[in-house]
Amino acid sequence: MKLSEEEVRVGDIRTVVIRPVGEKAYPGLLLYTDIFQLTESTLRTARRLASEGFVVMAPEIYPHGELAGVALEFDDAGKQRGLAGAAATTTTQFDADRTAVLDHLAARADVTDVFVTGFCIGGHLAFRAAFDQRVRATVCFYPTGLHNGALGADVADSLDRAADIRGRLLIVFGSRDPHVPADARLDILTRLYAAGLTDVELHVYTGGEHAFMRDIGPRHDPALTDRALIEAVAFFRET
């Protein structure tokens, strides 16, 4: 499937919108990046999802400070800059940016339904995006900080607000993720069930490390990545 790709500004927020070529409307998919922002690695994933029949909108998660317009390198310096960008951003700021990009995505003439996905910190942001009643389904890939509320400069109330989620929810972890070990995964599932989200799907991939879907570096697992994306697309299409 041929794709079109353009940069779109939503206020101060730089986003990349990737969609199938043509006039047809498709489900919109808000895609949150990891701390490295709009890298080619993440854009490759966005293009793959767009080729499955989605209008993918990927915003920068640090659009207002010195990291605006910056795609960070996958090295120690890039990691530290990404973590610093998170530490300088409050939950209120993340939420305000989420509202802006969801408003834009939902209002597009080429968008039917609204879905959300995200990776690492972006998985946590995707979970919070699911609080919006327009979001029909959400897939969170190895969301960091969800179990203890760690999000940027704050301790967020994410799991405390789980009952606000009305759409379908799928969360994917790797079994070897040190950021979200087994006890943390169990706590997340327990609290989701307690909030009434008894239809939530939790997938734990044996051998998967944190960021196993990032196609650069030793953590990448191509087979698990293919499986995760296939299952995510199927999950959205079943909604």
Side-chain angles (χ1 to χ4, degrees), residues 187-220:
D187 183 52
I188 290 170
L189 187 60
T190 299
R191 294 178 67 182
L192 291 176
Y193 269 62
L197 275 67
T198 54
D199 289 332
V200 65
E201 292 189 30
L202 179 68
H203 296 192
V204 180
Y205 290 175
T206 301
E209 299 184 49
H210 187 69
F212 68 83
M213 298 176 72
R214 185 190 303 149
D215 64 359
I216 294 175
R219 300 180 192 175
H220 180 47

Side-chain angles (χ1 to χ4, degrees), residues 162-187:
D164 292 343
I165 297 174
R166 294 291 180 268
R168 301 176 68 224
L169 179 64
L170 166 61
I171 304 178
V172 175
F173 290 112
S175 65
R176 297 180 181 175
D177 187 339
H179 299 288
V180 194
D183 59 342
R185 299 193 297 267
L186 179 60
D187 183 52

Side-chain angles (χ1 to χ4, degrees), residues 91-160:
T91 300
T92 298
Q93 289 171 319
F94 280 129
D95 286 349
D97 289 346
R98 172 243 300 172
T99 298
V101 294
L102 278 176
D103 285 349
H104 176 90
L105 184 63
R108 288 179 61 103
D110 59 350
V111 164
T112 54
D113 298 319
V114 176
F115 302 140
V116 182
T117 191
F119 305 84
C120 191
I121 188 176
H124 194 159
L125 295 176
F127 184 91
R128 293 188 66 83
F131 301 156
D132 191 303
Q133 302 302 295
R134 294 170 293 185
V135 176
R136 297 192 61 210
T138 302
V139 178
C140 305
F141 291 107
Y142 35 86
T144 52
L146 186 56
H147 64 291
N148 60 12
L151 180 64
D154 298 322
V155 176
D157 59 352
S158 301
L159 283 178
D160 291 338

Side-chain angles (χ1 to χ4, degrees), residues 2-44:
K2 292 188 66 177
L3 302 174
S4 67
E5 188 168 332
E6 63 176 332
E7 182 176 309
V8 175
R9 289 276 175 175
V10 179
D12 294 334
I13 305 168
R14 184 174 78 96
T15 77
V16 174
V17 176
I18 308 170
R19 55 152 292 142
V21 170
E23 300 299 321
K24 182 179 177 180
Y26 293 93
L29 178 59
L30 172 59
L31 185 151
Y32 280 112
T33 73
D34 57 19
I35 62 170
F36 299 94
Q37 297 215 99
L38 291 171
T39 62
E40 273 301 312
S41 176
T42 292
L43 291 175
R44 282 191 288 271

Side-chain angles (χ1 to χ4, degrees), residues 55-71:
V55 177
V56 178
M57 183 175 185
E60 290 185 332
I61 61 173
Y62 311 131
H64 307 296
E66 65 177 19
L67 293 181
V70 177

